Amino acid sequence: MPFVKHEELGTRWHTCHRELRWTDFDQYQHVNNAKYLEFAQDARMVFLRDVLTEMDIAVPPFFVRHTTIDYPRPLSPGENEVAVRSFVTQVGTKSCIMRQECRDSNSRIVCTVDTVMVGVDMMTGKSREWSEQDIANLGLFLIPVEEEQEAYS
């Protein structure tokens, strides 16, 4: 089952595994930084499919507005796959933030992707406010995070 319950909050996160290919690695034998965005996008699509098929919940239509990526450690060629854990960290009136943590085989975070997603009206293509049901559905995956400020030297 791709959904894991967050016992303390009663919400859940989703995990998707992706096999690493030799084309994912750069000349320094680390996963190329651009590949992490692909991992996150693929995992987001699997998340949406699994929410619909396994939980029978409609995910509101959205478009990606902004993405921030942090790379705390490299993913090396000794790894066979990457696990991407997806959950929602904030829900506003028109947008939400999805966090995706790429993890190695020891469950260490190798990359964090935060994506601002804005609700969209499919008829007009313009942004729209979330409905009460949209907010309730997104809330099923809400796991707030405390931001850690890391100093770079």
Side-chain angles (χ1 to χ4, degrees), residues 25-45:
F25 295 91
D26 60 20
Q27 70 269 22
Y28 303 112
Q29 296 304 304
H30 296 106
V31 170
N32 181 290
N33 62 340
K35 294 294 181 176
Y36 290 99
L37 189 57
E38 289 180 33
F39 300 160
Q41 182 174 341
D42 291 347
R44 195 167 45 250
M45 294 301 110

Side-chain angles (χ1 to χ4, degrees), residues 81-150:
E81 69 177 18
V82 62
V84 183
R85 182 181 291 183
S86 303
F87 54 95
V88 175
T89 61
Q90 294 178 27
V91 178
T93 58
K94 292 176 96 169
S95 66
C96 68
I97 299 176
M98 176 176 274
R99 172 160 289 182
Q100 295 174 284
E101 299 171 344
C102 298
R103 293 174 176 260
D104 65 13
S105 59
N106 293 316
S107 199
R108 294 178 301 195
I109 296 174
V110 296
C111 178
T112 301
V113 180
D114 286 322
T115 303
V116 176
M117 302 184 305
V118 177
V120 63
D121 180 317
M122 295 304 289
M123 298 302 287
T124 65
K126 296 183 180 184
S127 66
R128 68 164 180 88
E129 289 192 6
W130 300 125
S131 69
E132 286 184 31
Q133 188 62 56
D134 293 339
I135 291 171
N137 290 349
L138 291 168
L140 295 171
F141 307 97
L142 182 62
I143 303 174
V145 294
E146 292 185 28
E147 291 303 315
E148 300 172 9
Q149 294 295 330
E150 185 173 332

